[in-house]
Amino acid sequence: MNKRNRKNISFSNFGFSTILLAFVMICIVTISAISLLTANSDYNLSKKVAEKNFDYYHAEGIAYEKLAEIDTNLAKAYKKSSSAHTYYLYAEQALSTLEYGSYNKDATKHYYSYEIPISEGHTLSIELEVHYPNSANDTFYKITKWQSVYETTIHEEETLNLKQ
């Protein structure tokens, strides 16, 4: 009877190795999915950074072109002038005709500032201090500001009137 009872009892052949293999496969699939999500997020972030860098350096190239034009105008003003006073008059006249900036002066200093758009709400702001050179080889200006500026707009939320 002992042998007969043993034959009727069915035994499952699932062992430790099968359970371990199933667990390892689940871990591999989970790690693969996480790696794919991370790689996709890194790719999207890299693409955004590349676009922002391209926009910034494109705007910076335009800013340098405008700076070269300003330098040329100041050199022409220097050649025309005989003194610091006439130089500043010619410089103001030459730089005021440029459509992309503004010429300002206070009691002792003369400034020229302009902005180059980088993207929506983001500009490259440049300010130059115009000065009379001591010699023909001296510079006509000093860069006092070369800054990337983000314009923030505050959206006021609509509030509920709680007074009754």
Side-chain angles (χ1 to χ4, degrees), residues 24-148:
V24 167
M25 292 301 290
I26 289 171
C27 289
I28 289 173
V29 168
T30 304
I31 291 172
S32 300
I34 291 171
S35 297
L36 181 64
L37 290 173
T38 303
N40 190 31
S41 295
D42 287 346
Y43 172 72
N44 290 334
L45 180 63
S46 298
K47 207 161 75 171
K48 286 180 184 176
V49 168
E51 288 172 6
K52 287 189 179 281
N53 284 342
F54 176 80
D55 291 343
Y56 175 80
Y57 286 115
H58 179 71
E60 191 174 52
I62 293 170
Y64 279 120
E65 289 173 3
K66 307 246 187 239
L67 191 60
E69 186 178 358
I70 292 167
D71 195 46
T72 303
N73 286 338
L74 291 175
K76 289 177 185 176
Y78 180 72
K79 285 181 184 177
K80 284 189 217 176
S81 66
S82 58
S83 67
H85 178 70
T86 57
Y87 168 75
Y88 286 122
L89 290 175
Y90 286 134
E92 182 176 2
Q93 182 184 13
L95 296 180
S96 295
T97 60
L98 300 176
E99 72 258 5
Y100 49 81
S102 63
Y103 190 88
N104 299 314
K105 60 184 172 181
D106 59 17
T108 59
K109 295 184 181 179
H110 297 256
Y111 297 99
Y112 187 76
S113 58
Y114 62 101
E115 292 185 345
I116 306 297
I118 296 173
S119 62
E120 187 177 334
H122 188 198
T123 58
L124 181 61
S125 179
I126 295 105
E127 184 176 85
L128 310 172
E129 181 183 330
V130 179
H131 57 83
Y132 183 71
N134 295 329
S135 67
N137 296 333
D138 204 3
T139 60
F140 300 112
Y141 56 86
K142 176 183 170 186
I143 299 173
T144 56
K145 182 169 106 174
W146 190 283
Q147 184 177 14
S148 176

